[in-house]
């Protein structure tokens, strides 16, 4: 490992899972403060939020460029699914493996490395804002941005938390889907009952939940919630043609998804300009080994709903609740609880900051980037858009397995990302 | 506690869960061998099966009466649902609380106490067969019955593993539903994927499982599997009238189920002469705290199917598989695995053994019993029926919460059951 890869591995080694808080979050934040101080950010510090702290610090002088990052990561999921432990990063075949390597510690680290490389030649003031709650919807960040508005004031905010199309196909993301994450619960009217004595005679809370969830989609998997499509704005034909020409093909997305058939053609459109309702988890009744003859008294599910521009999370929540409730008979109780909300985002492609980013990618990758839409959500982007112009400069690869087992970050991409970040700081300062 | 209650509590204290094997099973079996020896069964011993051992032993001389019991119990389920720990039996308000107190250690213990009470006056040879795998479908018992056929030969086999209608309403069970317990799994074509990047573009294994399971019932909760009703024999009108007159009313079943509304009228019929498909458990995707944005790669469910006379478990399994498979798109894999099978049972009500049982209940309870159908299943009964005449003499109460939290056995019923068992041994020997 080079010294830089070793340093990135140290950052990835923190099990900074925000949905299951542990001291690792604060330890990771302290590590970043130390790193910023070594880069010359004498004002680097932790800002308390009530949750994991936000790391802030600034380097250099001149026009301000805000660089946003997050040090928290998704849960690792089942350890058995990983080839090497998720928080013991190792390099194999040119990739650093570990939870958060790609999403987004590797991408954040490229900016730190760029500032280090520029050193005294840094032509602007770079102010870092690195939070620890991105993966749970950034509940505290908007207030922190407001409280520190003068310190953070900038014309542009760089966010690197998404993917390019390939190692030689840089791309600049101009649209994100929004996110609405719901916990759904059906509580039965009965305690848990013997499935022999009562099978067929009482309402089964788990069966009712299954029936309610099944009503959200048609046989082909398309969402069928009444009203859901009302606020969906389909992009104009010219933009859809551009998407078809420049975006990932079905074949590429199929490879990225593990090689199996997709749910239909035009997967890039399905995953970006259309809303989706995914069932992310479900549990109810007896799930242990062997058999237990019971009629469950309650059951829970997690719905991950992705929204496109103009859709309002609150309205969509009401529509989904109504659809689920229609399948719940009297005597059983349906509860939904919003666990995360992110607004959909559509950014201008002709802003000077976007043009500077295009030039920076050309310098860093040797080829001009295309503009792409992303299916994922970055909750903070809509908060940033209220104060400055976000620029979404992703450095992940489509097969990095963000959120999955064996997540990784390409070391070749680390080099290109560092060069692109340094180039952007030079371009924006011109 | 009386010495007998203390002894029953010691029996209930063994966490002899057959679906999660532990040394407690063998320890419980040894305890029973010791007890049988103290009753005079010098031949009491463990019979090895490959699973938990079967306890055998005989007391007395003359006509043989086989008494079947089981010392294994259901899993306790979540500890938090119990008012006192499931395997630390305590007496409260005239009930002994603990997993297995009612199903069926308390009922077995009544027979042991009856033999003890009769002592030298025991008018027949009682041979005990007590297995440790009833709750997982008695996989080894049929072979044990065959291997020890001469030793076990008897005209009648008493099985006490079900409920009477109430403390003053004794009943004799003449029909049991069969059971088919299936593990169902959908394996997706993809690894676990990011629900932002791929939401709407790939088939979600959990969503497909939910859709497949929802196709098993109509909106009212009635099973809608094609062919399922073909082999269902509805009892003649006279028998249904008898059931309405003597069986539990909707009001009683409602109280027994915790007081909430039932799924419809005629619950006693729904739970006995009609088949049912209950979803006993389901798990898939992320089920931990907080949020994780994933499209699950696989999902699993447990189906508990209750069958009525003439239905064949194997045929029903094929019908359910076909129904589920119709909802599974190409590229995903449906697997079902039979975990338990019990044939439905219909016993003659005019057999001399049944008549002896009627007289015994009258002596033990002071009131004549009625004949009832049970919704539950006792896998061993069809195996016993091939060799002898089973008599189902239950001593549980409907609100004993068998299989649920806070399972209990009434001490008043223990006294009546002991008297009834002793009376039966006298009546059958006449």
């Amino acid at each position: 490992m080079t010294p830089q890869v070793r340093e990135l591995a140290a950052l990835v080694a923190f099990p900074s899972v925000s949905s299951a808080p542990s001291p690792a979050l604060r330890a990771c934040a302290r590590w970043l403060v130390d790193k910023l101080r070594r880069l010359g950010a004498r004002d680097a510090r932790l800002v308390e939020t009530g949750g994991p702290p936000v790391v802030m610090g600034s380097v250099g002088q001149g026009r301000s460029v805000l660089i946003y990052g997050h040090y928290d990561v998704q849960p690792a999921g089942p350890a058995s699914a990983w080839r090497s432990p998720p928080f013991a990063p190792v390099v194999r075949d040119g990739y650093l493996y570990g939870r958060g390597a790609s999403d987004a510690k590797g991408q954040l680290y490229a900016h730190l490395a760029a500032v280090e490389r520029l050193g005294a030649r840094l032509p602007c003031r770079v102010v870092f804002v690195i939070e620890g709650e991105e993966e749970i919807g950034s509940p505290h960040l908007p207030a922190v941005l407001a409280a520190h508005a003068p310190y953070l004031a900038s014309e542009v905010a760089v966010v690197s938390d998404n993917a390019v199309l390939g190692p030689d196909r840089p791309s600049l993301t101009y649209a994100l889907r929004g996110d609405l994450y719901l916990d759904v619960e059906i509580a039965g009217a009965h305690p848990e009952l013997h499935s022999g004595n009562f099978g067929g005679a009482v309402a089964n809370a788990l069966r009712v939940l299954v029936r309610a969830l099944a009503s959200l989609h048609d046989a082909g998997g398309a969402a069928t919630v009444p009203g859901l499509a009302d606020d969906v704005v389909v992009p104009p034909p010219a933009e859809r043609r551009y998407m078809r020409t420049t975006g990932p093909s079905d074949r590429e997305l199929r490879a990225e998804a593990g090689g199996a058939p997709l749910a239909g053609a035009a997967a890039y459109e399905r995953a970006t300009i259309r809303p989706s309702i995914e069932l992310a988890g479900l549990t109810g009744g007896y799930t242990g080994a062997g058999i237990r003859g019971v009629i469950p008294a309650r059951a829970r599910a997690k719905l991950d709903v992705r929204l496109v521009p103009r859709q309002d999370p609150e309205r969509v929540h009401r529509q989904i609740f109504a659809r689920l409730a229609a399948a719940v008979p009297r005597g059983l109780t349906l509860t939904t609880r919003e666990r995360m909300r992110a607004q959909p985002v559509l950014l201008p492609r002709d802003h000077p900051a976007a043009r500077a980013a295009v030039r920076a990618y050309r310098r860093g990758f040797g080829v001009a980037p295309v503009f792409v839409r992303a299916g994922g959500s970055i909750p903070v982007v809509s908060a940033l858009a209220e104060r400055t112009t976000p620029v979404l400069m992703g450095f992940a690869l489509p097969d990095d397995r963000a959120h999955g087992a064996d997540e990784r970050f390409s070391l070749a991409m680390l080099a290109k990302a560092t060069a692109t970040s340094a180039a952007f700081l030079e371009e924006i300062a011109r």
Side-chain angles (χ1 to χ4, degrees), chain A:
Chain A
M1 290 197 204
T2 67
Q4 285 192 332
V5 174
R6 209 157 32 232
E7 200 169 48
L8 172 55
L11 178 58
V12 174
F14 290 101
S16 46
V17 178
S18 48
S19 62
S22 78
L25 284 155
R26 185 168 293 270
C28 188
R30 286 219 179 91
W31 188 96
L32 285 166
V33 167
D34 290 343
K35 174 67 185 170
L36 286 177
R37 289 211 174 120
R38 288 200 300 278
L39 291 180
R42 281 182 296 179
D43 59 0
R45 69 197 186 284
L46 299 182
V47 175
E48 297 302 332
T49 67
V54 172
V55 176
M56 280 190 201
S58 66
V59 190
Q61 290 188 321
R63 291 174 71 171
S64 285
V65 174
L66 190 152
I67 294 183
Y68 162 87
H70 68 88
Y71 64 82
D72 65 317
V73 300
Q74 286 272 318
S80 60
W82 288 74
R83 203 176 135 197
S84 52
F87 297 110
V90 292
V91 172
R92 287 195 302 270
D93 302 329
Y95 291 91
L96 181 72
Y97 283 82
R99 168 59 82 231
S102 173
D103 179 11
K105 288 172 174 175
Q107 301 186 64
L108 166 65
Y109 187 78
H111 293 297
L112 298 170
V115 169
E116 188 160 21
R117 176 184 301 181
L118 289 170
R121 289 180 291 116
L122 184 67
C124 52
R125 171 178 174 261
V126 176
V127 52
F128 284 93
V129 179
I130 310 168
E131 69 159 325
E133 297 182 306
E134 195 275 339
E135 300 289 1
I136 56 170
S138 305
H140 293 101
L141 194 73
V144 171
L145 294 179
H148 297 79
Y151 176 78
L152 300 173
S154 65
E155 281 165 50
V156 54
V158 177
V159 177
S160 299
D161 196 8
N162 46 9
V164 294
L165 292 174
D168 301 312
R169 294 174 64 197
S171 50
L172 203 48
T173 300
Y174 70 101
L176 298 168
R177 288 199 291 187
D179 195 5
L180 174 67
Y181 201 100
L182 299 176
D183 278 356
V184 179
E185 176 170 324
I186 299 277
H190 308 278
E192 191 175 87
L193 294 171
H194 187 298
S195 52
N197 297 350
F198 287 100
V202 298
N204 176 327
L206 177 56
R207 176 178 54 70
V208 169
L209 178 63
V210 159
R211 187 167 191 86
L213 292 170
S215 75
L216 298 177
H217 299 89
D218 65 18
T224 54
V225 175
L228 187 71
D230 291 356
D231 297 329
V232 173
V233 179
V234 178
E239 185 176 345
R240 293 179 72 182
R241 269 197 306 277
Y242 178 82
M243 287 177 69
R244 278 195 295 278
T245 314
T246 58
S249 67
D250 282 349
R251 185 196 297 203
E252 285 170 309
L253 287 173
R254 180 177 161 156
E256 188 181 332
L262 301 168
Y268 176 39
E269 286 201 348
R270 281 170 186 266
T272 56
I273 65 173
R274 295 197 212 161
S276 66
I277 303 177
E278 290 294 349
L279 190 48
L282 200 167
T283 183
Y286 184 63
T287 58
I291 67 182
R292 187 155 164 249
V294 292
I295 300 175
R298 61 182 60 238
R300 297 180 182 84
K302 291 170 186 286
L303 283 179
D304 191 346
V305 185
R306 301 290 168 155
L307 310 171
V308 297
R310 298 290 170 84
Q311 284 190 298
D312 173 47
E314 211 154 311
R315 187 166 180 220
V316 169
H317 187 163
R318 286 196 302 274
Q319 290 165 340
I320 289 175
F321 185 91
R323 181 69 162 187
L324 293 172
V328 180
R330 269 187 52 172
L332 289 89
T333 311
L334 167 69
T335 314
T336 62
R337 187 176 159 208
E338 184 184 306
R339 299 303 300 266
M340 170 163 169
R341 179 197 296 200
Q343 299 288 339
V345 167
L346 192 58
L347 298 172
R349 283 169 277 171
D350 54 1
H351 188 277
R355 289 204 298 266
V358 167
R359 294 194 298 272
Y361 271 110
R362 196 182 286 135
R363 287 172 55 187
F365 282 70
V367 50
V370 295
F371 282 95
V372 294
R373 284 175 175 261
S377 315
I378 311 175
V380 72
V381 173
S382 56
L384 288 171
E386 290 172 15
R387 310 179 169 279
T388 174
T389 299
V391 183
L392 307 184
M393 299 178 66
F395 298 119
L397 287 176
D399 58 359
D400 275 353
R401 295 189 280 266
H403 293 210
D406 290 334
E407 181 182 345
R408 62 186 186 176
F409 190 59
S410 157
L411 300 183
M413 287 301 291
L414 177 60
K416 288 181 180 177
T418 304
T420 304
S421 172
F424 179 75
L425 296 175
E426 290 173 349
E427 294 288 342
I428 200 78
R430 269 189 193 162

